[in-house]
């Protein structure tokens, strides 16, 4: 059996500029670093068409939303592309629920491949009731039945999407175990779990359930490789491809993932014996690149590689198992073309300029007070935009994961704003005490570091600043919280005073670990006000109306929410 797989594409369809370290003979300074056009579904489709045979399964572990393709077209493009590729199974991700259950139900009517999630059960009160979400799909290869069982991470879906209580969930491990028992009774002895649980949870699942042969995972965007080539290329590797974990009987379970954003295609060869036991397994993630390369010249500028350099680069790539040149599928390009044209028209408007690159690193690395701060400057900018857009607000809090891209230095466009804030949230205010603000900040920090691995919960803010102790006991990691008043003066937060907090409607519901937001709203509905302003609008207006010269200045450390970060 051959398994071709992708995960966590987040509505990235086109190739992306990426720098790879390639060791080749060249006289140019820095020429060992090559800038390539990496991945994209037109190249992935070409590779799938080349590899696919009667022994092949093509699988996707889910996850929509993240680019302007989703912001404008809400998943329509995603499933048109997957229809054309011809998936054997697609596992729902938590972001599939970002537009609500009714929208997902409409999307599912457009697919011509199996969509699975064995632990998801819409009730009659949900628009998803009666949708074609199967617990598993059984495929036949060489006359042998192979079961592909879907499973979705429950806590993250409930906390990090707009799914309602009208959708019920089973425990992940229990669900997989029960489906395997039922399928074994039908004589099936080969089991793949198509998982949207994350790499660590996949390993826990493998160690807990008998009879799983292979877990094809997603959610955590991990880079897996056993060749040694990825590290040489400059990538940070999270584990082996495949990762091996023994089940309760001491038998190996194999776990794979294929990175993120359509950058690579997982390609795995698996052989079974007559009893359904894997006897041989091998493969790797392939990075698919275009033929046009760039290198740095003596002045450190990126230039097109010469024909001689291109030959040298191709020679190096030909010797790698993990990188290959691939043409783009015309069929997929044709699907994307009208959508891309509409996006390009929308993108034309320039909002202003960004003076300094604003990163979006979710969890900050330690830095002492007074040093250059780390973390998500981009989330700080979003919080600042909320604060200026809503005059009522005293402070603003923004979860790191709600910001999906950095602010690149230079021209800032409408498209950039939508790429940074692709979700269909609104901006809300919640009136709450200083004590509750400190509490909710700590809840978010704890959730970001917890077993859910939801790093996107980490809190950034405007008109608030604090010291952070990573790894501190629950409820204690956010310390020395200060508030900035209308005159620009910082002072310790008053635990008994009431402040109006601006945030997005997602965290405002108590999602992503921000429990106190939800509790305050439930206890006093009058404390909650939905502006009905789309998530991205404050950022658009921040550039248009608030910034002198429509230019975002470099970060002012005195106004940044993180005073210091230490590791306990």
């Amino acid at each position: 059996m051959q398994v071709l797989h992708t995960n966590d594409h987040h509505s990235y369809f086109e190739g992306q500029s990426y720098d790879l370290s390639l060791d080749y003979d060249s006289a140019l300074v820095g020429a060992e670093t090559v800038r390539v056009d990496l991945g994209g579904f037109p190249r992935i489709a070409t590779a799938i068409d080349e590899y696919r045979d009667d022994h092949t399964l093509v699988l996707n572990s889910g996850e929509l939303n993240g680019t302007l393709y989703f912001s404008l077209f809400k998943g329509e493009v995603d499933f048109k592309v997957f229809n054309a590729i011809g998936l054997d199974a697609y596992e729902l991700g938590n972001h599939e629920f970002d537009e609500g259950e009714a929208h997902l139900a409409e999307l599912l009517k457009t697919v011509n491949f199996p969509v699975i999630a064995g632990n998801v059960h819409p009730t009659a009160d949900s628009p998803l009731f009666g949708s074609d979400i199967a617990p598993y799909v059984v495929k036949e290869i060489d006359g042998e039945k192979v079961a592909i069982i879907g499973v979705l991470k429950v806590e993250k879906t409930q906390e990090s999407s707009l799914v309602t209580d009208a959708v019920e969930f089973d425990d992940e491990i229990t669900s997989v175990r029960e489906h395997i028992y039922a399928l074994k009774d039908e004589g099936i002895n080969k089991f793949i779990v198509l998982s949207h649980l994350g790499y660590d949870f996949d390993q826990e699942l493998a160690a807990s359930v008998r009879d799983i042969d292979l877990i094809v995972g997603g959610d955590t965007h991990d880079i897996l490789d056993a060749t040694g080539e990825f590290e040489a290329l400059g990538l940070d590797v999270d584990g082996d491809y495949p990762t091996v974990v023994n089940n309760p009987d001491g038998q190996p379970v194999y776990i794979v993932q294929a990175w993120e954003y359509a950058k690579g295609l997982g390609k795995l060869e698996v052989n079974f014996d007559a009893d359904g036991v894997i006897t041989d397994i091998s493969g790797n993630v392939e990075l698919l690149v275009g033929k046009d390369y760039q290198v740095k010249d003596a002045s450190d500028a990126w230039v097109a590689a010469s024909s001689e350099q291109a030959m040298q680069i191709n020679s190096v790539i030909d010797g790698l198992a993990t990188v290959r040149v691939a043409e783009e599928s015309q069929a997929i390009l044709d699907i994307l073309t009208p959508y891309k044209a509409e996006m390009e028209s929308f993108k034309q408007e320039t909002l202003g300029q960004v003076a300094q690159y604003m990163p979006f690193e979710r969890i900050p690395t330690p830095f002492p007070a007074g040093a250059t701060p780390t973390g998500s400057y981009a989330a700080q900018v979003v919080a600042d935009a909320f604060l200026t857009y809503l005059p009522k607000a005293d402070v603003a809090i923004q979860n790191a994961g709600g910001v999906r891209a950095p602010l690149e230095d230079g021209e800032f466009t409408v498209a950039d704003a939508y790429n940074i804030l692709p979700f269909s949230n609104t901006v809300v205010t919640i009136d709450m005490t200083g004590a509750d603000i400190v509490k909710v900040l700590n809840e978010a920090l704890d959730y970001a570091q917890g077993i859910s691995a939801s790093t996107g919960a980490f809190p950034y803010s405007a008109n608030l600043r604090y010291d952070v102790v990573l790894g501190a006991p629950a409820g204690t990691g956010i310390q020395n919280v200060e508030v900035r008043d209308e005159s620009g003066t910082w002072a310790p937060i008053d635990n008994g005073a009431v402040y109006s907090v601006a945030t997005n409607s997602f965290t405002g519901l108590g999602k992503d670990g921000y429990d106190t937001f939800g509790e305050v709203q439930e206890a006093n509905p009058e404390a909650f006000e939905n502006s009905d302003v789309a998530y991205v609008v404050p950022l658009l207006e921040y550039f248009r109306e608030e910034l002198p010269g429509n230019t975002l200045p470099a970060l002012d450390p005195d106004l940044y929410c993180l005073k210091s970060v230490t590791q306990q």
Side-chain angles (χ1 to χ4, degrees):
M1 180 178 68
Q2 177 181 235
V3 178
L4 305 176
H5 62 98
T6 52
N7 56 273
D8 299 312
H9 75 285
H10 284 282
S11 301
Y12 282 77
F13 295 103
E14 301 171 68
Q16 303 153 60
S17 178
Y18 201 88
D19 297 345
L20 297 176
S21 298
L22 292 176
D23 184 13
Y24 69 97
D25 183 23
S26 174
L28 286 182
V29 176
E32 67 279 359
T33 300
V34 179
R35 180 161 288 178
V36 300
D37 190 51
L38 174 62
F41 276 106
R43 292 193 181 98
I44 287 174
T46 293
I48 288 173
D49 286 344
E50 178 182 333
Y51 292 139
R52 179 184 254 140
D53 58 24
D54 292 340
H55 298 257
T56 301
L57 295 175
V58 181
L59 308 177
N60 185 293
S61 296
E63 209 74 301
L64 307 178
N65 200 349
T67 70
L68 201 55
Y69 274 108
F70 189 87
S71 296
L72 295 179
F73 309 116
K74 307 300 183 187
E76 177 182 322
V77 187
D78 303 67
F79 288 146
K80 277 191 176 181
V81 168
F82 292 142
N83 280 340
I85 287 174
L87 299 181
D88 290 289
Y90 180 95
E91 163 59 36
L92 290 177
N94 49 286
H95 282 291
E96 272 70 335
F97 294 88
D98 282 349
E99 294 294 317
E101 293 155 38
H103 182 73
L104 178 57
E106 290 302 309
L107 277 180
L108 293 178
K109 293 177 182 178
T110 71
V111 306
N112 61 14
F113 49 82
V115 175
I116 61 175
N119 62 328
V120 177
H121 305 288
T123 70
D125 294 328
S126 170
L128 281 169
F129 185 72
S131 296
D132 291 332
I133 302 173
Y136 52 78
V137 61
V138 177
K139 309 294 284 190
E140 190 167 298
I141 298 176
D142 261 358
E144 294 290 320
K145 291 182 178 180
V146 179
I148 306 164
I149 301 169
V151 64
L152 176 61
K153 184 183 288 186
V154 176
E155 181 184 16
K156 189 171 185 179
T157 303
Q158 291 175 325
E159 292 289 335
S160 300
S161 79
L162 292 180
V163 71
T164 71
D165 292 340
V167 177
E168 297 177 349
F169 296 87
D170 293 335
D171 174 79
E172 299 91 341
I173 291 174
T174 301
S175 174
V176 172
R177 182 183 289 122
E178 290 180 348
H179 289 310
I180 286 177
Y181 286 164
L183 289 162
K184 283 181 69 176
D185 288 343
E186 298 179 17
I188 296 174
N189 63 7
K190 287 170 281 294
F191 297 98
I192 298 173
V193 175
L194 189 56
S195 155
H196 198 84
L197 299 179
Y199 184 52
D200 290 343
F201 204 156
D202 283 341
Q203 294 176 68
E204 181 183 345
L205 175 67
S208 303
V209 179
R210 293 175 173 85
D211 298 306
I212 298 173
D213 296 297
L214 172 65
I215 299 176
V216 178
D219 183 59
T220 45
H221 304 220
D222 288 281
I223 302 176
L224 304 183
D225 178 52
T227 68
E229 291 181 357
F230 274 5
E231 287 189 350
L233 292 168
L235 305 180
D236 294 325
V237 175
D238 300 305
D240 287 343
Y241 184 104
T243 297
V244 183
V245 174
N246 288 337
N247 73 10
D249 293 329
Q251 300 301 312
V253 181
Y254 302 92
I255 301 170
V256 293
Q257 238 189 81
W259 199 7
E260 64 183 4
Y261 304 152
K263 292 174 180 174
L265 173 68
K267 182 175 182 287
L268 192 68
E269 303 289 339
V270 188
N271 290 319
F272 294 89
D273 67 15
D275 297 319
V277 176
I278 292 178
T279 58
D280 183 61
I281 186 167
S282 62
N284 52 264
V285 176
E286 289 188 346
L287 305 182
L288 308 173
V289 302
K291 292 180 178 179
D292 296 328
Y293 311 117
Q294 290 184 305
V295 296
K296 283 189 175 181
D297 64 14
S299 64
D300 212 33
W302 287 104
V303 297
S306 67
S307 58
E308 181 181 357
Q309 289 171 323
M311 289 178 61
Q312 293 171 336
I313 294 167
N314 283 327
S315 178
V316 173
I317 288 175
D318 288 344
L320 296 173
T322 59
V323 184
R324 59 164 290 193
V325 175
E327 299 286 346
E328 293 187 300
S329 162
Q330 190 60 51
I332 303 301
L333 289 173
D334 288 345
I335 291 172
L336 298 178
T337 295
Y339 296 104
K340 187 174 181 180
E342 189 172 339
M343 284 198 315
E344 290 304 318
S345 176
F346 182 76
K347 287 178 179 180
Q348 296 310 307
E349 184 178 351
T350 297
L351 295 173
Q353 300 289 319
V354 176
Q356 175 196 49
Y357 174 77
M358 298 288 182
F360 73 125
E361 177 187 13
R362 291 182 173 191
I363 303 288
T365 54
F367 68 90
T372 300
T374 62
S376 181
Y377 294 10
Q380 173 81 44
V381 172
V382 172
D384 288 338
F386 284 176
L387 198 61
T388 58
Y389 192 85
L390 298 172
K392 173 186 175 182
D394 301 303
V395 300
I397 297 175
Q398 170 64 36
N399 59 320
V403 178
R404 307 306 283 192
L407 281 79
E408 303 281 357
D409 58 314
E411 186 177 79
F412 189 77
T413 66
V414 170
D416 294 327
Y418 275 89
N419 281 334
I420 289 165
L421 301 176
F423 303 109
S424 297
N425 297 327
T426 57
V427 185
V428 305
T429 56
I430 305 171
D431 297 334
M432 57 198 304
T433 65
D436 280 338
I437 290 174
V438 175
K439 183 180 178 184
V440 82
L441 290 171
N442 273 292
E443 288 171 346
L445 173 63
D446 295 340
Y447 195 76
Q449 300 178 105
I451 192 171
S452 68
S454 186
T455 55
F458 190 93
Y460 292 88
S461 56
N463 275 9
L464 289 170
R465 66 181 185 182
Y466 32 85
D467 297 301
V468 178
V469 181
L470 301 174
T476 67
I478 301 287
Q479 302 175 358
N480 306 316
V481 179
E482 295 179 304
V483 179
R484 184 170 178 257
D485 64 21
E486 292 181 357
S487 69
T489 302
W490 290 99
I493 195 167
D494 183 341
N495 286 335
V498 175
Y499 302 87
S500 180
V501 182
T503 190
N504 61 73
S505 56
F506 176 73
T507 53
L509 293 173
K511 300 279 190 176
D512 229 13
Y514 288 73
D515 296 339
T516 297
F517 278 160
E519 291 168 1
V520 169
Q521 178 183 349
E522 184 176 356
N524 179 18
E526 297 298 319
F528 179 88
E529 182 179 341
N530 192 333
S531 71
D532 294 316
V533 172
Y535 194 26
V536 72
V537 168
L539 186 59
L540 298 174
E541 294 302 304
Y542 192 49
F543 274 85
R544 286 174 173 150
E545 306 292 340
E546 301 294 335
L547 295 175
N550 307 111
T551 298
L552 181 70
L555 181 78
D556 182 348
D558 187 56
L559 299 180
Y560 189 49
C561 59
L562 307 182
K563 294 189 287 185
S564 71
V565 177
T566 56
Q567 179 74 54
Q568 181 162 308

